[in-house]
Amino acid sequence: KKIAMKRSTGMQQLRENARKKMMQQVAFQISLYLFSFWFTFVPTSIDFAYGILNDGKILYDLLIFANCVFALQGFVMAMVYFTLQRLGTPQVEPLPTSTSG
């Protein structure tokens, strides 16, 4: 029975490590997508806020930059997707079980 308990504890530890690793990968994916979203969204927001706060005055350089970055949003998201796909998610392989008769 002690051997079974040690195996059970080892399996629990293995599962816990796999969960931690999976949560780290999910957190990395989320942060990467959020960063890429805000990278493309913030310049447009700044341009919009500047126009409101300055009675419709337009900073053409900022407007051009914001529109170029915003137009690239799909490309940036696709690059994030393909980068994450290339990195892949390693599968957790089950431990081989011994069959005793």
Side-chain angles (χ1 to χ4, degrees):
K1 289 185 180 183
K2 280 191 171 192
I3 294 173
M5 288 298 290
K6 286 182 182 179
R7 268 184 140 175
S8 176
T9 304
M11 286 300 290
Q12 287 175 347
Q13 186 67 31
L14 183 66
R15 287 184 187 123
E16 187 63 32
N17 289 342
R19 282 188 193 112
K20 284 181 184 179
K21 190 173 183 178
M22 189 182 330
M23 290 303 291
Q24 288 173 345
Q25 289 173 346
V26 169
F28 175 72
Q29 281 183 320
I30 290 171
S31 61
L32 195 57
Y33 275 114
L34 283 175
F35 173 75
S36 62
F37 171 76
W38 285 113
F39 172 74
T40 58
F41 188 73
V42 167
T44 306
S45 299
I46 291 171
D47 178 57
F48 181 72
Y50 182 83
I52 290 175
L53 295 174
N54 291 304
D55 297 324
K57 185 177 178 185
I58 297 173
L59 287 177
Y60 287 101
D61 292 338
L62 179 59
L63 180 63
I64 292 168
F65 174 75
N67 284 325
C68 289
V69 170
F70 191 73
L72 292 173
Q73 184 176 20
F75 176 74
V76 170
M77 291 292 187
M79 292 309 299
V80 168
Y81 174 79
F82 289 122
T83 300
L84 291 173
Q85 188 178 32
R86 186 175 49 87
L87 293 175
T89 307
Q91 299 296 321
V92 178
E93 298 292 328
L95 290 176
T97 57
S98 62
T99 56
S100 56

